[in-house]
């Protein structure tokens, strides 16, 4: 929680001024302080590496990896372990000391590059002085935060590529140069705006690097039906984003009688051909990250958290939760292993053998695997559907899920979409609608899941390919609208990447990022058309036009008899809501609003349910 004007860990209560107690995220203030300090020393070492490069000296991959892992450790809900974070601070200070010895000119280095301490007792005091409020200019502060969060997201892409032995020196050099620039008090607002957009450019490069790493190692994702039920054998549940960790675990569990299941963002692993050879790769268990407290408990077996997003575990299953990589939580066993090393998962495997099989929470299948290679293989079919009018619009509904009730907007929006609209998604936001029965268009599912938030690159590639196919000059002339759910730093880098690609009129929800100052928000609105979401009804009209948004719409002034004549499926909805007197002539002459008043019901909730039925019948 390096940001003291806005906290990604508990963003549903945006506007906090720093943690003084354990908050929604579960982070203690001393852990948040150490995250602040880790970001600070990472900016310091980045200033040194940038100066070294300016002197024509090389910076080793180990330092690039250290910077990426440091930033990744501070990303949303990744690491709650103060001791692990402190250890990374000491390691960074040691490496910085070595690099300073190689630097010829040190006079222009910022204070962060020169700060030294071998005494952990000094860390808390220093951390209290290095937060974002050290800068009074709110526009500079806002842009520094926007850049830093974008770089944290980019670090996640780099880290995942690094573990598959893929590196991009240009991306690493930029990340470190940009981190160093956030310490430069002479940097103007215009310079920081330019750096923000440059972050988006390198965000695209980082996404391409990870896409290459994943597809080279595991093949191109393909259309796949994933089982969401359970078997009768003990299991290990894997969450997070690290495919290399999953691969090592699958190899080590072969022949052990243990099944492996995915949770949340790990679901798209099932789409990669390389993982399909493992017969004990059983399916996906559960939903988005924020539901893990109940789902981890009912799983019964051990859980492996490979990255974010950790919700502080309940005591009932804390002894079954393991972490690895950048993830960590006090009291949970951490499985070590550096880039290129084989991790030893024997302890978690032996633990699984002593556990009961998972408790079934749902049955059936969900379909995914629509990354760019697979969609482009269907290009003729997709283009034909667009040209014939069968598909009128694509709606990019990527991003992150969250627990706030306001995020139900995305479920309601998906239900309200016209039947000729197709959703392109990536990230855990899909759990708001990927199990709805939205049907297909000529065999093309109306929810095309490209994968993890890490796979958002696919959505950009698909858009650029459609632009080429339809011979358009501007990507914004495509029949695509962007309605993105943001939550954490990877959502920020995806947003900046889209802006770099020229995409405009992106809608973000549930609200615009709270760390944007009014002036910075104004720049984004005026130059890129960034906006927040409205009501489902208003946004349907905005994206699809008034006629489409009001088609078959039931309004509060319609009488019950008129509503019943529209569709026979509406009567059960009214009765299930508590209106059991539909057969009475007097009741049928009431408006739906009057009936709701009599029965003490919420008119807006009932209208949404009725209209959703009409749009999807």
């Amino acid at each position: 929680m390096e940001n003291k004007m806005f906290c990604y860990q508990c963003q549903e209560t945006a506007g906090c001024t720093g943690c003084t107690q354990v908050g929604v995220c579960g982070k203690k203030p001393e852990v948040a302080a150490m995250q602040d300090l880790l970001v600070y020393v990472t900016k310091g070492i980045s200033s040194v590496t940038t100066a070294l490069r300016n002197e024509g000296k090389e910076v080793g991959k180990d330092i690039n990896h250290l910077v990426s892992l440091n930033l990744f450790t501070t990303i949303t809900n990744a690491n709650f372990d103060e001791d692990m974070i402190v250890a990374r601070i000491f390691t960074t200070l040691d490496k910085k000391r070595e690099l300073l010895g190689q630097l010829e000119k040190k006079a222009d280095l910022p204070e962060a590059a020169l700060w030294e301490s071998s005494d952990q007792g000094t860390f808390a005091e220093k951390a209290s002085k290095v937060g974002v409020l050290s800068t009074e200019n709110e526009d500079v502060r806002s842009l520094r935060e926007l850049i830093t969060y974008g770089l944290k997201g980019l670090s996640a892409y780099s880290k995942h590529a690094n573990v598959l032995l893929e590196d991009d020196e240009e991306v690493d050099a930029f990340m470190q140069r940009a981190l160093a620039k956030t310490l430069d008090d002479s940097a103007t607002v215009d310079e920081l705006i330019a750096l923000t957009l440059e972050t988006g450019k390198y965000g695209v490069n980082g996404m391409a690097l990870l896409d290459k790493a994943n597809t080279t190692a595991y093949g191109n994702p393909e259309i796949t039906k994933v089982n969401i039920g359970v078997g009768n054998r003990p299991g290990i549940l894997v969450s997070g984003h690290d495919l290399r960790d999953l691969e090592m675990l699958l190899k080590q569990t072969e022949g052990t009688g243990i099944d492996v299941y995915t949770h949340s963002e790990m679901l798209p692993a099932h789409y990669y051909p390389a993982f399909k050879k493992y017969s004990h790769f059983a399916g996906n268990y559960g939903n988005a990250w924020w539901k893990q407290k109940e789902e981890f408990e009912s799983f019964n077996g051990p859980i492996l958290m490979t990255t974010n997003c950790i919700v502080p575990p309940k005591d009932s299953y804390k002894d079954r939760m393991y972490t690895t990589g950048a993830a960590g939580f006090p009291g949970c066993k951490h499985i070590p292993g550096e880039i290129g090393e084989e991790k030893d998962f024997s302890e978690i495997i032996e633990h699984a053998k002593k556990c009961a099989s998972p408790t079934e929470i749902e049955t059936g299948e969900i379909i995914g695997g629509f990354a760019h290679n697979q969609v482009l293989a269907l290009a003729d079919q997709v283009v034909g559907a667009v040209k014939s009018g069968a598909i009128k619009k694509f709606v990019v509904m990527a991003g992150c899920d969250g627990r706030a009730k306001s995020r139900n907007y995305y479920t309601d929006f998906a239900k309200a979409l016209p039947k000729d609209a197709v959703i392109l998604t990536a990230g855990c936001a899909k759990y708001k609608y990927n199990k709805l029965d939205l049907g297909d268009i000529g065999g093309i599912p109306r929810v095309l899941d490209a994968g993890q938030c890490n796979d958002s690159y696919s959505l950009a590639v698909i858009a650029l390919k459609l632009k080429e196919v339809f011979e358009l000059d501007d990507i914004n002339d495509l029949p695509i609208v962007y309605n993105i759910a943001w939550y954490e730093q990877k959502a920020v880098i995806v947003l900046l990447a889209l802006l770099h690609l020229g995409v405009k009129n992106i809608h973000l929800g549930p609200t615009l990022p709270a760390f944007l100052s009014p002036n910075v928000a104004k720049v984004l609105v005026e130059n890129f058309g960034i906006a927040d979401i409205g009501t489902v009804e208003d946004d349907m009209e905005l994206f699809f036009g008034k006629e489409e948004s009001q088609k078959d719409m039931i309004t509060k002034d319609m009488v019950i008899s008129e509503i019943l004549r529209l569709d026979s499926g509406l009567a059960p909805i009214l009765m299930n809501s508590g209106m059991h007197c539909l057969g009475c002539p007097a009741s049928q002459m009431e408006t739906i609003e009057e009936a709701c008043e009599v029965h003490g019901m919420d008119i807006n909730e009932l209208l949404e349910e009725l209209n959703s039925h009409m749009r999807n019948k």
Side-chain angles (χ1 to χ4, degrees):
M1 299 193 307
E2 180 259 349
N3 180 1
K4 287 189 173 63
M5 62 184 286
F6 177 75
C7 173
Y8 265 107
Q9 310 294 350
C10 54
Q11 78 165 261
E12 309 297 3
T13 55
C16 73
T17 55
C19 284
T20 57
Q21 58 184 345
V22 177
V24 175
C25 68
K27 291 274 177 74
K28 296 180 180 179
E30 53 267 30
V31 175
M34 291 305 99
Q35 283 192 328
D36 281 0
L37 189 58
L38 179 56
V39 171
Y40 178 73
V41 299
T42 302
K43 290 180 177 181
I45 196 173
S46 295
S47 299
V48 177
T49 61
T50 300
L52 283 169
R53 288 188 176 97
N54 289 339
E55 291 182 354
K57 297 182 174 69
E58 291 187 2
V59 176
K61 286 184 180 180
D62 61 323
I63 301 300
N64 293 339
H65 295 168
L66 177 141
V67 170
S68 293
L69 183 55
N70 281 1
L71 290 181
F72 198 11
T73 299
T74 68
I75 212 166
T76 312
N77 287 20
N79 201 304
F80 295 69
D81 194 319
E82 182 181 1
D83 291 341
M84 291 178 66
I85 297 169
V86 167
R88 296 215 59 79
I89 294 172
F90 276 124
T91 297
T92 305
L93 291 173
D94 289 343
K95 293 292 185 181
K96 186 186 69 175
R97 195 177 303 115
E98 294 176 15
L99 295 173
L100 280 168
Q102 303 171 25
L103 190 62
E104 295 174 13
K105 298 179 181 179
K106 304 180 179 67
D108 296 329
L109 290 175
E111 192 269 348
L114 301 172
W115 181 73
E116 268 289 351
S117 179
S118 58
D119 179 9
Q120 185 177 338
T122 67
F123 285 8
E125 180 183 0
K126 186 63 179 177
S128 68
K129 299 176 180 177
V130 300
V132 297
L133 293 183
S134 60
T135 304
E136 292 186 3
N137 185 311
E138 68 171 346
D139 296 331
V140 169
R141 185 171 65 222
S142 177
L143 288 164
R144 284 179 175 179
E145 289 300 277
L146 183 56
I147 292 165
T148 300
Y149 287 132
L151 295 173
K152 286 187 180 188
L154 180 52
S155 77
Y157 295 120
S158 291
K159 170 62 168 57
H160 291 307
N162 295 160
V163 299
L164 293 172
L165 307 182
E166 293 283 352
D167 290 86
D168 187 326
E169 165 64 19
E170 289 188 11
V171 170
D172 289 315
F174 168 77
M175 281 184 16
Q176 293 158 39
R177 172 167 60 86
L179 284 170
K181 193 67 174 178
T182 64
L183 297 172
D184 183 358
D185 289 332
S186 70
T188 65
V189 168
D190 287 342
E191 288 174 330
L192 291 174
I193 289 174
L195 186 61
T196 300
L197 298 180
E198 192 177 9
T199 302
K201 170 188 173 183
Y202 282 95
V204 175
N205 294 349
M207 291 177 187
L209 177 69
L210 178 57
D211 182 75
K212 174 189 174 186
N214 284 341
T215 56
T216 299
Y218 307 119
N220 282 295
E222 54 194 23
I223 299 173
T224 305
K225 291 182 179 179
V226 182
N227 175 42
I228 58 175
V230 298
N232 57 10
R233 304 199 308 177
I236 297 174
L237 187 60
V238 186
S239 192
H241 308 75
D242 200 305
L243 297 179
R244 174 62 178 146
D245 285 335
L246 176 64
E247 179 188 22
M248 289 186 283
L249 180 65
L250 285 168
K251 287 181 178 178
Q252 293 178 38
T253 48
E254 277 191 300
T256 63
I258 303 298
D259 287 332
V260 175
Y261 296 80
T262 57
H263 185 268
S264 190
E265 282 278 46
M266 196 58 82
L267 162 66
H270 294 276
Y271 312 154
Y272 287 91
F275 295 124
K276 295 183 179 182
K277 65 184 179 183
Y278 298 102
S279 60
H280 62 298
F281 194 25
N284 187 76
Y285 189 86
N287 297 275
W289 63 273
W290 60 273
K291 297 193 74 174
Q292 63 188 245
K293 283 198 171 185
E294 56 263 39
E295 292 174 352
F296 283 7
E297 188 164 50
S298 64
F299 183 76
N300 300 326
I303 304 104
L304 177 65
M305 298 298 301
T306 65
T307 60
N308 57 317
C309 300
I310 295 174
V311 174
K314 296 167 65 175
D315 290 340
S316 58
Y317 65 81
K318 186 177 180 180
D319 65 322
R320 292 191 278 114
M321 197 166 92
Y322 293 71
T323 64
T324 192
F329 197 92
C332 293
K333 174 71 176 181
H334 186 79
I335 298 173
E338 301 298 324
I339 291 173
E341 294 181 355
E342 188 76 13
K343 296 182 181 181
D344 181 2
F345 290 112
S346 58
E347 185 172 347
I348 192 172
I349 293 170
E350 290 305 311
H351 192 157
K353 291 177 180 178
K354 302 172 185 176
C355 296
S357 60
T359 300
E360 189 169 83
I361 57 176
E362 56 189 341
T363 59
E365 294 177 325
I366 47 178
I367 189 169
F370 294 93
H372 60 87
N373 188 72
Q374 180 65 84
V375 173
L376 297 184
L378 300 172
D380 290 344
Q381 186 178 351
V382 173
V383 170
V386 174
K387 288 183 175 179
S388 71
I391 295 177
K392 292 284 180 57
K393 278 192 178 179
F394 296 94
V395 184
V396 174
M397 293 177 68
C400 311
D401 197 10
R403 63 173 62 86
K405 187 176 181 181
S406 58
R407 290 181 179 270
N408 291 338
Y409 161 93
Y410 294 99
T411 304
D412 296 336
F413 186 85
K415 289 179 179 178
L417 285 172
K419 288 188 174 183
D420 52 18
V422 171
I423 296 172
L424 299 175
T425 190
C428 62
K430 62 175 162 275
Y431 283 103
K432 289 297 184 189
Y433 42 78
N434 70 336
K435 295 174 183 176
L436 298 176
D437 184 14
L438 297 181
D440 63 81
I441 299 175
I444 301 171
R446 289 189 59 223
V447 178
L448 300 183
D449 176 17
Q452 296 180 341
C453 54
N454 295 346
D455 299 314
S456 296
Y457 175 72
S458 278
L459 304 183
V461 172
I462 291 168
L464 290 171
K465 184 62 178 179
L466 289 174
K467 172 176 171 282
E468 176 187 329
V469 169
F470 288 108
E471 300 180 343
L472 299 173
D473 295 326
D474 189 340
I475 195 171
N476 297 292
D477 292 334
L478 284 169
I480 299 179
V481 296
Y482 296 82
N483 195 5
I484 295 175
W486 72 282
Y487 194 96
E488 48 93 66
Q489 291 89 326
K490 280 176 275 187
V492 175
I493 193 60
V494 170
L495 170 63
L496 297 182
L498 290 173
L499 295 184
H500 167 71
L501 293 172
V503 176
K504 295 185 178 181
N505 303 317
I506 298 171
H507 286 246
L508 298 175
T511 58
L512 286 178
F515 55 80
L516 296 179
S517 68
N519 286 333
V520 172
K522 183 179 178 182
V523 169
L524 292 176
V525 169
E526 291 182 350
N527 290 281
F528 300 100
I530 296 292
D532 54 4
I533 61 174
T535 66
V536 171
E537 291 78 12
D538 288 345
D539 289 344
M540 283 290 296
E541 181 174 339
L542 175 67
F543 292 135
F544 299 97
K546 187 171 184 179
E547 181 179 345
E548 183 65 50
S549 69
Q550 292 186 343
K551 184 167 62 177
D552 292 329
M553 287 288 283
I554 299 168
T555 59
K556 62 184 179 181
D557 56 353
M558 289 179 67
V559 297
I560 298 294
S561 60
E562 182 181 1
I563 292 172
L564 292 175
R565 285 195 298 269
L566 287 175
D567 186 81
S568 60
L570 296 174
I573 295 174
L574 293 171
M575 294 185 70
N576 289 336
S577 69
M579 295 184 184
H580 301 291
C581 50
L582 296 181
C584 173
S587 296
Q588 290 191 16
M589 294 309 295
E590 290 180 325
T591 66
I592 187 71
E593 183 177 31
E594 291 169 341
C596 283
E597 289 177 357
V598 171
H599 292 278
M601 297 163 56
D602 188 314
I603 178 64
N604 293 321
E605 288 185 4
L606 182 57
L607 285 175
E608 180 54 38
E609 188 174 2
L610 293 169
N611 284 314
S612 177
H613 171 82
M614 293 301 295
R615 295 187 190 104
N616 292 282
K617 65 177 182 175

